[in-house]
Amino acid sequence: MKTAAKLSAYGAALALVAAGAWAAGTAVGPFPGQAEGHGGEDAAHGDVHGGTVAEAANHQPGGLASAAGGYTLTPAGTTLTPGATTKFTFTITGPDGAPVTAYDVEHEKRMHFIVVRRDTSGYRHLHPDLGADGTWSVPITVAEAGSYRAFADFTPTGGAAQTLGVDLVAPGMFQPVEHREARVADVDGYRVRLDGDLVPGRSSRLTATVTKDGRDVTDLQPYLGAYGHLVALRGGDLGYLHVHPDGRTGAAVTFIAEVPSAGTYRMFLDFRHGDVVRTAEFTVTTGGGAHS
């Protein structure tokens, strides 16, 4: 049964998300972003991202707030236009209240910017441009209306790595998408299989194997300094976990992931082959996958 609902406030939208289901045929309108928690990240290559050094020990995700560790993400606006490209601008202010203008290069970029609808459809991995005054700008194209979450993944020079998040909205009616457990993804003629169990509170080994036309793809190309780039989002609050490869053997790329709690996680693997970057999407429940 379809239900039309007008969300007049962010609190109503968040309540629906927390309940685990959005009404079919939901309508959304502009609303301001709101902080929900806190989280930064440990940027060492090969380690799980999503939490300050202290938080990483507790496997806590990042991106749950627009402010953490003295740093604040402030967007110039929070409205996107469905079916069109919006120039999105924002600043990161530091502990002194001034815009940050110096960033370390992490995985070949000074900023990794993830945009995804709150039902985890429409995933985008973007890289904004930085102006001399500390203003970041990035074109964002969303195909459909809905409530979106944006994550800024960065390391300020001389500071700790951070992941900050903010809510965006593309006004209009949309049909929310439900995701069932899925360990195999087909994209542009490629098939990617994700093996391994997610065990809450422990390091978990995951292996992604890429094939095309039934044959292993053994000549994957580096992307952002690695053979695969994996982002995990926790169901419900979209807690952000950024995972990097632990190694590669032929068509198989191995990752070490640490998830903080039982539940369902959406995972997005960026891989490069034939000079094109593609994204494979998975839905993984803790303790419910196949072992590699």
Side-chain angles (χ1 to χ4, degrees):
M1 178 177 66
K2 295 184 178 180
T3 302
K6 179 67 178 178
L7 303 185
S8 59
Y10 171 75
L14 183 58
L16 287 170
V17 174
W22 284 55
T26 300
V28 295
F31 55 81
Q34 179 173 329
E36 302 164 2
H38 85 281
E41 75 175 276
D42 176 5
H45 182 75
D47 290 339
V48 175
H49 286 49
T52 62
V53 173
E55 289 170 330
N58 295 319
H59 319 302
Q60 294 303 309
L64 296 178
S66 60
Y71 295 88
T72 302
L73 187 164
T74 304
T78 58
T79 303
L80 306 175
T81 302
T85 299
T86 301
K87 182 180 179 181
F88 182 75
T89 61
F90 63 97
T91 57
I92 303 293
T93 54
D96 60 357
V100 178
T101 57
Y103 295 81
D104 292 345
V105 173
E106 298 287 348
H107 308 290
E108 301 184 350
K109 300 293 181 178
R110 290 182 292 179
M111 173 76 70
H112 297 270
F113 195 75
I114 306 299
V115 178
V116 65
R117 202 165 71 176
R118 274 200 169 269
D119 62 2
T120 67
S121 61
Y123 175 88
R124 298 286 186 274
H125 182 167
L126 307 172
H127 300 110
D129 294 320
L130 178 63
D133 65 349
T135 299
W136 291 95
S137 62
V138 60
I140 299 177
T141 304
V142 296
E144 299 179 347
S147 176
Y148 287 79
R149 187 70 172 170
F151 301 91
D153 177 353
F154 63 94
T155 301
T157 299
Q162 302 290 333
T163 300
L164 304 179
V166 66
D167 279 309
L168 310 176
V169 65
M173 299 293 296
F174 73 102
Q175 185 73 30
V177 178
E178 293 185 4
H179 303 280
R180 298 181 181 276
E181 176 88 8
R183 294 301 193 104
V184 176
D186 292 311
V187 52
D188 294 342
Y190 293 82
R191 173 160 287 190
V192 187
R193 178 179 176 85
L194 188 69
D195 292 298
D197 279 346
L198 284 178
V199 180
R202 294 177 53 188
S203 294
S204 303
R205 185 177 298 275
L206 302 176
T207 300
T209 303
V210 183
T211 61
K212 186 177 184 182
D213 300 325
R215 298 180 179 180
D216 286 352
V217 177
T218 59
D219 57 343
L220 291 172
Q221 297 168 298
Y223 174 59
L224 301 177
Y227 286 103
H229 198 273
L230 184 65
V231 168
L233 299 176
R234 182 170 61 184
D237 63 0
L238 300 190
Y240 177 97
L241 296 158
H242 197 170
V243 190
H244 286 275
D246 186 53
R248 180 177 74 98
T249 303
V253 183
T254 301
F255 301 87
I256 302 299
E258 295 180 4
V259 297
S261 57
T264 299
Y265 291 79
R266 285 278 287 162
M267 295 192 162
F268 303 88
L269 172 67
D270 292 329
F271 66 97
R272 184 169 180 253
H273 186 251
D275 297 325
V276 176
V277 177
R278 299 171 174 85
T279 303
E281 302 184 8
F282 310 95
T283 305
V284 180
T285 302
T286 52
H291 290 277
S292 59

